[in-house]
């Protein structure tokens, strides 16, 4: 075995061990910061007085537009509906009213694929649906570093693949 292959093998082993160590530490400290449920009537959570220094807000409510994949600019004229777990696709919007600063938005392993928008701009995608639309593959939880625009952070998710009856909306977490 050449020295180059030996070094490559050692680097791969080191990377794998480092990755498992990081995952183990994240799992251990997963509940180190309290997660506080926050009420969000109409999909708007007022977090202007929330104590981000000691906890993370969990917003489990949103505005839902079942059966429609809407761009953020189209939401102002659309009428929201109730969350429908049988809908194969929908758009969800949550608005966070926050003081100026830097924030992290994150969601736990989604049961669907989503295109995410922050303040009207594309912010990435999570998940993947197979060709026939029946199998949803979890890729990873999402996390986004965001700044408010005029004291508001607007998260819009176009979601598809919710084909099982037990799929539910798990909400979004926000912290600093």
């Amino acid at each position: 075995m050449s020295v180059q292959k030996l070094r490559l093998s050692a680097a791969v082993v080191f990377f794998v061990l480092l990755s498992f160590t990081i995952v183990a530490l994240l799992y251990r400290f997963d509940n180190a910061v309290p997660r506080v449920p926050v009420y969000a009537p109409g999909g708007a959570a007022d977090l202007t007085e929330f104590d981000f220094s000691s906890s993370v807000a969990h917003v489990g409510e949103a505005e839902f537009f079942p059966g429609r994949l809407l761009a953020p600019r189209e939401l102002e004229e659309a009428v929201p509906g109730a969350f429908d777990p049988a809908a194969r696709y929908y758009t969800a919007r949550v608005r966070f009213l926050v003081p100026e600063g830097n924030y992290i938005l994150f969601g736990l392993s989604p049961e669907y694929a989503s295109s995410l928008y922050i303040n009207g701009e594309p912010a990435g995608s999570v998940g993947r649906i197979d060709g026939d639309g029946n199998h949803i593959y979890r890729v990873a939880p999402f996390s986004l570093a965001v700044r408010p625009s005029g004291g508001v952070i607007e998260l819009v998710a176009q979601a598809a693949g919710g084909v099982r009856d037990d799929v539910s909306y798990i909400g979004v977490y926000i912290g600093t």
Side-chain angles (χ1 to χ4, degrees):
M1 190 178 226
S2 72
V3 174
Q4 189 176 18
K5 287 183 180 179
L6 188 58
R7 285 182 181 164
L8 180 60
S9 297
V12 168
V13 169
F14 176 75
F15 177 74
V16 168
L17 289 175
L18 181 64
S19 298
F20 280 124
T21 302
I22 290 171
V23 168
L25 286 172
L26 289 174
Y27 180 76
R28 180 173 178 222
F29 295 114
D30 183 43
N31 291 318
V33 177
R35 298 173 183 175
V36 178
V38 174
Y39 183 62
D46 186 353
L47 301 171
T48 53
E49 302 296 320
F50 189 83
D51 182 12
F52 285 107
S53 66
S54 63
S55 55
V56 171
H58 175 224
V59 178
E61 299 170 86
E63 286 182 296
F64 291 100
F65 304 85
R68 296 180 281 174
L69 295 175
L70 302 170
R73 66 184 175 283
E74 298 173 313
L75 292 175
E76 295 309 316
E77 297 175 12
V79 178
F83 175 73
D84 180 2
R88 290 192 52 100
Y89 53 92
Y90 61 87
T91 302
R93 173 173 62 181
V94 183
R95 287 169 286 188
F96 306 94
L97 311 175
V98 294
E100 287 300 316
N102 297 312
Y103 296 90
I104 301 290
L105 293 178
F106 57 98
L108 303 178
S109 298
E111 300 272 349
Y112 44 79
S114 293
S115 293
L116 304 173
Y117 297 84
I118 296 292
N119 296 334
E121 298 296 322
S125 296
V126 179
R128 173 175 73 82
I129 302 174
D130 69 1
D132 63 7
N134 292 320
H135 298 92
I136 292 85
Y137 300 91
R138 296 181 191 179
V139 173
F142 71 85
S143 64
L144 303 166
V146 297
R147 293 188 54 82
S149 175
V152 177
I153 298 170
E154 180 184 68
L155 171 66
V156 173
Q158 295 174 335
V163 296
R164 298 193 334 248
D165 288 339
D166 63 343
V167 171
S168 62
Y169 175 71
I170 58 171
V172 178
Y173 295 88
I174 182 171
T176 54

